[in-house]
Amino acid sequence: QILQRLGRDVRNLRLFFLLCVLCHHDLVLNGGMLTTGGICQRKNADATADNRMFVSFDGGTIRKADATASLFTYHGVNYTNPTHVVIHKGGATIDTNGKKNIIVNSVLEGATGKGVKSISFSGSWPCVAPPVVEIVDAEGSGYGAAAVVDFDAGSREIVGIRVVSPGCNYTKAVAKFYIYNSYVRPTESAIDCELADNENTGAFTKAGEGDLALQMPNTYGGDTILAGGELKAAVLGAIPTNSTVVFAGGKLTCTEGVSMPLNYAVDAVAAQERGAAFEYSGDLTFPDGAILTVRRAEELGELQKPMPLLRVSGTLGGKPEIVCPGLDASKYKVTWHGNTLKVSPNLGMLLIVR
């Protein structure tokens, strides 16, 4: 509720939970930084009926506070993963904070279907305290929407309603208000919400030293930004097919059997400091007819020696044709050196594998 109320007003908030964030409802992170050992939901007394708990990112950072392995579960049989972890268009950042062997074993979902755009109200709603808002889907199975009420303590009236998380997959969203006209049992009121299509464009950023393993197939629709440390693609689909991997100081690794990402945008200077931006451990075979298209995305600084874009530790089969449209052949050269693809001179490149 604290993070929901802040919404987009505070961007530099830092909250510290050294053990874990334990939620029975939703966690909305729209900015600032949340430092915690883990995020999880607690099971009800009836172990067959877990609480529904959603984590919604629309900006902001979760920073790992301790060395326990999982970010989205915690020790003990009474705790379980959030029901959904959704990345909206503002994106999500996970900072491993120098910790090793940290894992994400919840799906990092893209924002799908329709979400709540706004909630309009008219008239005067006198109340002694800000109403509690609950958004439900009257006709479908939408989830994750949240709103807060702007309240004038002097006049004791509602002055606005802000949607802090649009949620996903709503058919008919209804906002239920629990209004305290006195210090006794609240009265209830309901307003239909305006819906809009979600934009599945939110980026996922891996920040900080240390390493993070993605252990589930993910569906977020934005870039995968490596801003520090190492990101491990541990399963097929860990990096969504349509996500561009942006190397901005971090490194990506994956093992045999995990498909390599298709799109690359490389910060040449940062990648040079790390060695190859992408390391593939095992044998890699390109399909027949595959074409590597190398384009200059943005000039980020020249280097004095070739930069490795991709290094394969095992056998490299089916080396694809390399096409460099729009690049001056007298200045730019992209070639294989054994099992390593290098570009020289070293500028920011976008590499697309078809």
Side-chain angles (χ1 to χ4, degrees):
Q1 289 179 337
I2 293 173
L3 296 177
Q4 286 184 5
R5 289 194 178 280
L6 288 168
R8 295 183 177 277
D9 296 336
V10 176
R11 288 293 182 178
N12 294 316
L13 171 74
R14 277 155 173 75
L15 293 181
F16 294 85
F17 296 85
L18 294 181
L19 293 177
C20 68
V21 177
L22 178 61
C23 293
H24 291 279
H25 297 290
D26 299 349
L27 173 64
V28 177
L29 185 61
N30 288 351
M33 178 180 290
L34 172 65
T35 300
T36 177
I39 298 171
C40 58
Q41 61 178 325
R42 186 168 184 171
K43 295 182 179 180
N44 291 334
D46 179 1
T48 64
D50 293 345
N51 293 318
R52 286 165 55 87
M53 179 247 181
F54 310 110
V55 177
S56 172
F57 283 95
D58 202 352
T61 299
I62 291 180
R63 187 171 184 258
K64 196 72 169 72
D66 61 19
T68 54
S70 178
L71 184 63
F72 288 114
T73 54
Y74 213 71
H75 299 299
V77 296
N78 292 325
Y79 307 105
T80 186
N81 290 46
T83 312
H84 295 279
V85 180
V86 179
I87 300 177
H88 290 278
K89 62 182 180 180
T93 298
I94 295 177
D95 184 345
T96 46
N97 190 27
K99 307 300 188 293
K100 299 290 187 180
N101 302 317
I102 306 303
I103 65 172
V104 171
N105 58 357
S106 290
V107 177
L108 302 179
E109 305 174 25
T112 55
K114 291 184 179 296
V116 175
K117 178 181 179 181
S118 63
I119 305 170
S120 300
F121 79 101
S122 60
S124 176
W125 288 14
C127 44
V128 299
V132 175
V133 186
E134 178 187 14
I135 299 176
V136 299
D137 195 338
E139 297 180 357
S141 56
Y143 56 85
V148 295
V149 173
D150 293 324
F151 178 69
D152 187 327
S155 64
R156 294 187 175 183
E157 289 190 353
I158 296 172
V159 296
I161 302 172
R162 289 181 294 129
V163 176
V164 294
S165 175
C168 299
N169 300 326
Y170 280 90
T171 303
K172 180 178 175 59
V174 176
K176 294 183 176 181
F177 295 84
Y178 301 90
I179 303 170
Y180 289 84
N181 297 310
S182 64
Y183 293 98
V184 293
R185 189 173 182 176
T187 59
E188 295 184 19
S189 183
I191 300 176
D192 289 343
C193 305
E194 181 183 357
L195 300 179
D197 291 332
N198 278 315
E199 299 178 27
N200 185 16
T201 57
F204 167 65
T205 300
K206 157 67 178 77
E209 293 302 313
D211 58 86
L212 180 71
L214 303 180
Q215 295 191 336
M216 299 291 286
N218 298 304
T219 61
Y220 59 88
D223 294 343
T224 302
I225 303 171
L226 305 182
E230 180 177 355
L231 182 66
K232 300 177 180 178
V235 297
L236 187 66
I239 307 296
T241 302
N242 294 326
S243 181
T244 296
V245 180
V246 180
F247 296 95
K251 180 178 180 179
L252 175 67
T253 63
C254 72
T255 57
E256 189 169 2
V258 177
S259 60
M260 59 179 290
L262 301 180
N263 305 295
Y264 294 82
V266 180
D267 179 328
V269 175
Q272 180 70 20
E273 295 174 354
R274 296 274 178 178
F278 179 71
E279 297 274 1
Y280 191 95
S281 300
D283 299 336
L284 175 63
T285 301
F286 287 96
D288 292 341
I291 299 175
L292 267 66
T293 304
V294 180
R295 294 187 177 92
R296 173 177 169 176
E298 182 180 0
E299 184 171 340
L300 296 169
E302 295 189 20
L303 299 178
Q304 301 304 313
K305 58 183 180 180
M307 180 190 72
L309 290 177
L310 166 66
R311 180 180 292 122
V312 179
S313 67
T315 301
L316 179 63
K319 288 184 179 179
E321 178 186 358
I322 299 175
V323 179
C324 304
L327 296 183
D328 186 341
S330 66
K331 296 181 179 180
Y332 302 95
K333 185 177 181 182
V334 181
T335 56
W336 288 100
H337 296 258
N339 288 0
T340 302
L341 182 68
K342 296 184 179 181
V343 57
S344 178
N346 297 295
L347 298 176
M349 295 290 174
L350 176 67
L351 180 142
I352 301 176
V353 181
R354 292 195 182 101

